[in-house]
Amino acid sequence: FGSSSFGSSLRFGPFHTPGVTMPPVYEWIHATSHENFNQIKDDGYLKGNYCVDDFFDGKLQNAGAPRGSWFNANNYRGGPIDLTPYPEPNNDETVVALAFPVSKLLDPKEKYQLFKVSRIPCRYLQVKYAIVKQTDPFFAWCSQNLHHVEGNCDEHVSLTWDQAAASYVWSATDADEKVMVSVFVVNHDDRHPSVAFKICRPYEIQKIPDPS
């Protein structure tokens, strides 16, 4: 799920509106090749990359933009996704999905801001966001170049704080409604890595062949 591998002309399902309960999503999924998986495991963390897709990545591929890591951030029929077009150049039958718990991926000591990156109508509506700590050096860049999601909530996603659990809670439109949600986590500084491998749950995921 989640890329230009999906064609156009499919009617979209009903959209949520702010304030309406969306299903919780407990894990964000990062898909990678088996080779990269071994490197990530050896490094002990996920390194950020620059965006290069001027169609889907919007201003994140402009000069001066931060590095980061893309995650699928919605479920399919209530469970984690089980197929992906990522990484695009890889045509193995399966790739590795790294499932990161949102409650551990997002630091409870930090405040986060969500930004809109792009909204591309394909077979699945591609809705892409960026998330950054308010203390991050690239917060100013994101504020100047991307659109704030007011209250960290819109018709497709919601980021809230669970006081009892002392952790962030993420909710999103289910992919069964023909919407794919992706989040770019700003992860620029390798000297202070923020996406630790030890918190993820790896599993095999079916790879959609790259049409190119």
Side-chain angles (χ1 to χ4, degrees):
F1 289 104
S3 178
S4 54
S5 300
F6 292 92
S8 58
S9 78
L10 234 160
R11 201 177 280 182
F12 303 134
F15 292 157
H16 293 287
T17 55
V20 175
T21 301
M22 289 175 275
V25 178
Y26 299 109
E27 295 175 318
W28 288 355
I29 312 299
H30 177 83
T32 190
S33 67
H34 291 89
E35 180 181 5
N36 285 345
F37 168 70
N38 290 329
Q39 185 63 56
I40 293 167
K41 188 164 56 172
D42 289 343
D43 291 338
Y45 63 95
L46 198 61
K47 291 183 178 180
N49 292 297
Y50 288 109
C51 292
V52 296
D53 191 325
D54 57 0
F55 185 69
F56 282 99
D57 295 343
K59 292 184 178 180
L60 282 177
Q61 54 84 43
N62 288 359
R67 290 187 296 134
S69 302
W70 280 108
F71 294 84
N72 174 270
N74 62 337
N75 289 331
Y76 178 66
R77 297 182 177 177
I81 61 170
D82 57 9
L83 74 161
T84 179
Y86 300 122
E88 289 94 331
N90 186 300
N91 280 323
D92 292 340
E93 289 187 5
T94 64
V95 293
V96 182
L98 305 179
F100 288 83
V102 175
S103 61
K104 295 181 179 180
L105 183 61
L106 300 183
D107 188 342
K109 298 186 296 293
E110 298 282 353
K111 291 184 178 180
Y112 290 85
Q113 179 60 49
L114 202 60
F115 295 89
K116 296 180 181 180
V117 174
S118 64
R119 179 187 175 98
I120 309 295
C122 297
R123 180 183 171 197
Y124 280 70
L125 176 64
Q126 307 287 312
V127 188
K128 295 183 178 290
Y129 301 86
I131 191 168
V132 62
K133 300 172 185 176
Q134 293 184 9
T135 57
D136 192 286
F138 280 93
F139 179 79
W141 186 95
C142 292
S143 296
Q144 293 165 8
N145 291 273
L146 305 174
H147 297 288
H148 281 76
V149 176
E150 186 175 354
N152 285 332
C153 178
D154 65 12
E155 68 268 36
H156 297 299
V157 301
S158 173
L159 179 67
T160 57
W161 174 255
D162 184 334
Q163 188 66 38
S167 64
Y168 284 100
V169 176
W170 177 259
S171 302
T173 304
D174 195 276
D176 196 36
E177 297 188 24
K178 307 302 179 188
V179 177
M180 292 308 302
V181 176
S182 300
V183 175
F184 180 81
V185 176
V186 173
N187 182 26
H188 188 87
D189 191 353
D190 290 337
R191 295 170 303 172
H192 302 94
S194 58
V195 185
F197 172 77
K198 65 181 179 180
I199 68 171
C200 80
R201 175 180 64 86
Y203 66 97
E204 292 287 316
I205 189 170
Q206 182 181 345
K207 173 68 170 68
I208 301 172
D210 184 357
S212 62

